């Protein structure tokens, strides 16, 4: 099976490749993530996925980084992440269709920090619209020890970066108070 795989980061790509070990798949990875901010962070994640893709012999497609794609579609509050997943999966489905793929999927399925159920629903809807099949591996590996490349400490967008810093700050304040 030739699988077109939206890839969010190097770590999740490795987890999905490991999940596909028993399937006969030829993977083309698609690093479309306009949510990632700032540019330096995008470049670090891109360098990491290039390294991993080369080591694993996976073809990697990298469209231009266009943050306006992300800021143009995200909703507010709880809808922010749904908009972000939808944007990336719909773009991947359209690209897959144009290039003659039958199956597509996403590495987001392997992340413990994302909502797999909603991602599967969005993926299946995007696939249906394009006449594709959204492929979900039978067993998805969500934990894997990996090293040798840059690893991010926040989800990707500027909001998640802010939230991460706030968590750290709040944690430090809490530690101070508890002493
Ligand atoms: S937190 Fe992650 S999934 Fe949600 S909008 Fe930001 S980058 Fe996208």
């Amino acid at each position: 099976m030739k699988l077109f795989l939206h890839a969010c980061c190097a770590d999740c790509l490795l987890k999905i490749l490991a999940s596909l070990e028993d399937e006969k798949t030829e993977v083309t990875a698609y690093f479309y993530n306009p949510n990632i901010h700032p540019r330096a962070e995008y470049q670090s994640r891109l360098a990491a996925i290039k390294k991993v893709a080369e080591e694993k012999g996976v073809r990697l497609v990298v469209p231009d980084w266009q943050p306006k794609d992300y800021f143009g579609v995200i909703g507010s509050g709880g809808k922010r992440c749904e908009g972000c997943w939808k944007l990336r999966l719909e773009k991947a489905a359209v690209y897959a269709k144009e290039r003659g793929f039958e199956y597509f999927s996403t590495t987001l399925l392997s992340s413990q920090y994302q909502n797999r159920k909603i991602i599967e629903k969005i993926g299946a809807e995007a696939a249906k619209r394009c006449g594709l099949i959204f492929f979900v591996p039978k067993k998805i590996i969500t934990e894997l020890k990996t090293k040798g490349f840059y690893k991010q400490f926040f989800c990707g967008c500027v909001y998640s970066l802010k939230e991460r810093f706030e968590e750290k700050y709040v944690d430090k304040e809490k530690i101070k108070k508890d002493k």
Side-chain angles (χ1 to χ4, degrees), residues 109 115-125 134 136 140:
L109 293 171
N115 187 323
R116 193 197 293 178
K117 217 173 154 190
I118 296 178
I119 289 167
E120 281 188 24
K121 186 172 169 276
I122 291 172
E125 284 167 1
F134 184 67
V136 179
I140 299 176

Side-chain angles (χ1 to χ4, degrees), residues 41-59:
E41 178 68 23
Y42 174 83
Q43 284 169 330
S44 298
R45 296 190 194 192
L46 176 60
I49 202 163
K50 276 184 175 170
K51 187 171 187 274
V52 164
E54 199 179 317
E55 282 167 11
K56 293 287 177 185
V58 169
R59 186 173 164 252

Side-chain angles (χ1 to χ4, degrees), residues 35 70 74 80-81 84-85 88 114 155-157 159-160 163:
N35 53 313
Y70 170 75
I74 53 158
R80 184 183 83 206
C81 298
C84 178
W85 297 324
R88 291 183 281 165
Q114 317 282 330
C155 190
C157 64
Y159 310 105
S160 60
E163 284 158 8

Side-chain angles (χ1 to χ4, degrees), residues 1-19:
M1 171 186 40
K2 287 189 177 181
L3 179 68
F4 192 72
L5 181 67
H6 163 261
C8 61
C9 67
D11 209 46
C12 290
L13 175 60
L14 282 171
K15 286 186 281 179
I16 288 291
L17 291 177
S19 308

